[in-house]
Amino acid sequence: MVRGRSLRAALVAAAAALAALAATAAAAVPAAADDADLTRAQQAAHAAARAQGAERTAVPSRQGARRAASTPLSVTIETLSPASVPARGQVQVTGSVTNTDSVPWLTVNVYAFVSEEPMTTRPQLAAAVQVPESVTVGERVTREGTFDTIDALAPGETRQFSLSVDAADLAADTPGVYWFGIHALGQRGDEGRDEAFVADGRARTFLPMVPNRREGQAPVAVVVPLRGNLEYAEDGSLDDLERWTTTLGVGGRLRSLVELAATAGDRTVTWVVDPALLDAVRQLAAGNPARSLRPNLQEDEADGEPTGTGSPSSDESAGDPATETAGDPESETPSEDPSGATPTEPEDDPAEAELPEELDAETRQAAEAAREWLGRLRGAVDDDDEMLVLPYGDLDVAAAARHDRPAGQAYARARARSASPLPGLGITGTPAVAAPSGYLSPQSLRTLDEDAVVLVSDRTFAKAPAVAAVAGRRLVTTSSGAADGGPSPGDPLATLALRQRVLAEAALRFLKPTRSPLVVMLPPDYVPSPSTSFFSGLDLDWLDLTSVTGATEPVEAEARPADTMRYPKRQAVFELDASNFVAANALRQAGETLQSLLTLNNLVGGTVSDQSLAMVSYAARARPDSNRVAADRSRLWIEERLERVHVSTPQAVTLSSINGSFPASITNDLDQPVTVRVSALRSDDDELEIADVGEVDIAPESSTSVLLEARTETPGVHEVTIVVTDKAGRQLGGSDELSIRSARVSNVIWLFLAAGTGLLFGTIAFRLVRRVRAARR
């Protein structure tokens, strides 16, 4: 490698200038210095970048101004093999150069470059990501045969390059992480070459160097999150089908994540999965049916629900949305399979059955995308993969700990709902909690299961340990630096840039005596570009790609007080409000009432409960008002159906004694059979009793009459409201009012009547006697 002394001197001068600018500009840039989420090194780098930008503005030049905006040649590194400095052999690089200028570029030479000294600490690595692309960070390898040449590039044209550099030319013999990248230098039209040999196009990444003599391996776990925003229409069908088709289709976020994980082959991948997302995709695959009131039970089959005045649990009866049948949500047509076949059997799985012909084009397109995604997911999940299961609906754990009442019940319901095997996969995973931001409030830890895998960002703690023990919970810290990706220019989360940052973070941990494991959670909005080299590039002798449990289980947790956990104020502000939990609970309770009302359906309550949990998710933070409104609309949809079951009575009833009966008519306007009870609400006194008539079964769209027995010891008029309730005693919408008059006669009146009667008959007898005596005389 040609190492020009002038270039080395320029590099040293640039580094010194960068450090000086960071020191002088830190005080002048409070925005960076005051950001608690930045390390000191990052703050210094931000300050240096701003100061250097101001310096370029103050001393403009033709080429300097052009490069300050952007280089005319855009360079992308597409493959880098091997992904770390080899002991011997070559490093092969391929990529592309695009002419973003308005004039042709000629004789474009493409060189590799490498830094002279490696970075050996994580703060150095974090600061390196912030270094402006115009700062020179390495020397070009210019030996003959180590660079490639592109003869000409027309405006907008892209050409591929390929080059190889011997390990000896890199001269990277000190352990650590080196800058590595590509410089493109060419001639802009007829202007000639830049005599300063400043790069006209750049691409940079990191290249770790770990000596072969280093024993052992660095444990690394890559976590692929499958989570997202679930938006429901008022009838329980999924809303915004266009968004679903996009994210599940080619190039979409969920599709790209699954395709990235599929390239791992038999390598270990850790998945973080929201079961509600899988249920939603299966619902789409079944044609996106609305919530169904159809029978799923046979006549006289027990529904497993309690009766009386208790509140039934919806957790045990929670149903798979994909098992609901498309079409009219109130269709009275019974299930085509009354035998009760298990819905997870492939031949009975609605997510794999033939789609209904009446589906519109948008729904059919979403269903086909969902089916293909489910198939790819099943193919991507390997037996050796680790499956971490989030609380159902990806519950906003911090907000639930603060606002849910009673405290912890939403988490308990969500966790119980996630305990079943994952829908469509049949895998029972490990309970886990992982906020997309990486932050958890200390308060929320008390509500979590002790055996749950809790993932938090390393920004949660100062000098974060690999594993922390807080409030009896074991917290695994994930690398925020690795998730931030690579340096500029270019996309920091491009597949190769992210992979090289992961390797850099792993190498720095491995080169330290403590050798802490590395856990990398891919960003929640990450859309990986197509690549087959992300996981294959991790096949290095010094790296062990394993699961989160495999990487962290041998590590002894470092005890930390709860008050040392950082929970930024903006995270607390961003939490869902109490009103969201009130709306979600009201929706869930309405669903429980609807299920208790229906005679032959014990699934709809669980379906509604699932929807309510999804409406208090982390994703709902971005649109809290719309999620709350959606919950209210769904509740009103249910209540409108509850009101179709109502009762009517006479306007007035008179009891001829201390008790009596009167008729009440119960009408079911639903096209499903219902089971109800009748109760009396009294507004003026509690001296009138209405006997319980028990459960009343009513056929679809019909009425039935019952005799209600009333009893009172108090004469007078009693105003009574008769209501119809579900089997658990929860009031439905229908009610009727009547007046009940007690006509009972008191004992004194009977005494007067008896005395009068006696006097009457006594008088008659007296007169008869006198007439007989008079006749004899």
Side-chain angles (χ1 to χ4, degrees), residues 232-239 283 288-292 327 329 604 607-608 611 630 633-635 637-638 641:
Y232 290 92
E234 62 181 14
D235 62 356
S237 61
L238 286 160
D239 212 350
Q283 180 175 346
N288 194 27
R291 70 173 67 92
S292 175
V604 67
T607 302
V608 175
Q611 178 184 346
R633 287 176 178 170
S634 290
R635 174 179 54 79
W637 185 95
I638 294 173
R641 280 146 183 79

Side-chain angles (χ1 to χ4, degrees), residues 57 82-83 86 106 159 258 318 326 378 392 524 661:
T57 303
L106 308 175
R159 296 281 297 275
V258 170
R378 283 190 286 266
Y392 195 90
S661 62

Side-chain angles (χ1 to χ4, degrees), residues 450-462:
E450 293 185 2
D451 60 343
V453 176
V454 183
L455 301 179
V456 298
S457 170
D458 53 10
R459 292 173 178 166
T460 302
F461 301 99

Side-chain angles (χ1 to χ4, degrees), residues 694-709:
E695 295 181 356
V696 181
D697 294 328
I698 310 174
E701 298 179 341
S702 64
S703 300
T704 188
S705 295
V706 296
L707 284 177
L708 301 180
E709 294 289 336

